[in-house]
Amino acid sequence: MNVIAQAALSRYDHRLPYRKIADRFEQLHGLELSGASAWHATERAARAGRCEYEQIRRRIQHADVVHIDETGIKRDGEQAWMWTFTTDEHTLYAVRESRGSDVPAEVLGEDFAGTVVCDGWTAYPAFTSNLQRCWAHILREAEDVADKYEDGEPIHRHLTQMYVGLQSWLETDPSLRERAQMHRSSQNGLKSLVRCSATDDPVATLLGKIKGGIDHWLTFIGEPAVSPTNNAAENALREPVVLRKIIGTLRNDRGMFVHETLLSLLATSRQQGRNPYEKLKRIVRDNEMISRTHAVPSVESSG
């Protein structure tokens, strides 16, 4: 159990190649392992933790708010996508060949009733209309446009003032009625903004993005649990992005299985303030006990 947990943690917490994991076991514990053995130990940890992975998914499926994001990853040299679904206490990663709305439908379920916090990728409105578009994204884009085009300056200024003002206003703990009134007022302000004319294509594109999400920028005003930014999902993708630079490509379905499972278990453990090593040891130990309990005893034939 210790070897299995340490191998998995060495790979996904310390980011070591399997050959170096084997060297480390020999140096620290006098245990001779090959790189292949270190890989198999890590795979065993993932298989033992798959039930826990599915439990994380069920918890996220019933969450009121889920932050979602995705980034590219290679599978056997071909393009695939690493998706993250994160709440305050759980994070789930899923490696899929698709970047479409079929992935959130598969992971969250087509009857998901919560709010999705996301960027402007088209897969999200194709999956649900309960969205909060990320203000951090649109403010960065508006700033970039304003730096290059004079017509973009009033747009960036309007968005910034609206966002900062709303954040300050929400700190006064307004009532639901006041929130509804502010939502209508702010919505009208955005609608007036997107009616501005633009002579430069990037400015027109920016206005088009604001208009395209016009029903989803202000969800956070009426729903106190909803964040106006998708920083949680972006932060959750940082570790997979670092590992992508180290690992390069996932070789096959087994690699995808191990990758998404162990990343999910470790991220969720940290969110919940648990020791990842102790968590992995417990999962492996419980799985071994279940396997022994359900093992079919051999029956000797009578003479």
Side-chain angles (χ1 to χ4, degrees), residues 12 46 49-57 60 82-87 89-96 107 236 239-240 243 256-272 276 279-280 283:
Y12 282 93
R50 195 63 181 188
C51 287
E52 185 91 10
Y53 177 91
E54 293 300 333
Q55 289 177 15
I56 292 171
R57 175 157 69 166
I60 291 176
M82 168 68 83
W83 291 75
T84 185
F85 302 80
T86 188
T87 67
E89 294 189 347
H90 300 88
T91 293
L92 187 104
Y93 297 97
V95 182
R96 297 292 184 270
V107 172
E239 183 65 20
L243 280 170
M256 292 169 59
F257 176 93
V258 170
H259 203 63
E260 66 182 18
T261 304
L262 292 178
L263 281 172
S264 300
L265 298 184
L266 294 174
T268 298
S269 292
R270 294 190 192 95
Q271 281 178 282
Q272 297 176 357
K279 174 80 170 179
L280 283 176
I283 288 172

Side-chain angles (χ1 to χ4, degrees), residues 138-158 160 202-203 206:
I138 198 65
L139 288 174
R140 283 197 298 266
E141 291 186 37
E143 184 177 18
D144 289 342
V145 171
D147 286 343
K148 299 173 183 176
Y149 301 93
E150 186 176 348
D151 286 351
E153 292 179 4
I155 299 171
H156 178 237
R157 184 169 58 252
H158 183 108
T160 301
V203 179
L206 173 63

Side-chain angles (χ1 to χ4, degrees), residues 83-156:
W83 291 75
T84 185
F85 302 80
T86 188
T87 67
D88 289 340
E89 294 189 347
H90 300 88
T91 293
L92 187 104
Y93 297 97
V95 182
R96 297 292 184 270
E97 295 180 358
S98 170
R99 198 189 177 196
S101 61
D102 55 314
V103 178
E106 172 212 338
V107 172
L108 297 178
E110 294 184 358
D111 57 348
F112 175 72
T115 299
V116 168
V117 184
C118 59
D119 59 21
W121 179 236
T122 56
Y124 303 118
F127 167 63
T128 180
S129 59
N130 299 327
L131 299 175
Q132 170 62 56
R133 289 281 296 273
C134 179
W135 274 81
H137 275 80
I138 198 65
L139 288 174
R140 283 197 298 266
E141 291 186 37
E143 184 177 18
D144 289 342
V145 171
D147 286 343
K148 299 173 183 176
Y149 301 93
E150 186 176 348
D151 286 351
E153 292 179 4
I155 299 171
H156 178 237

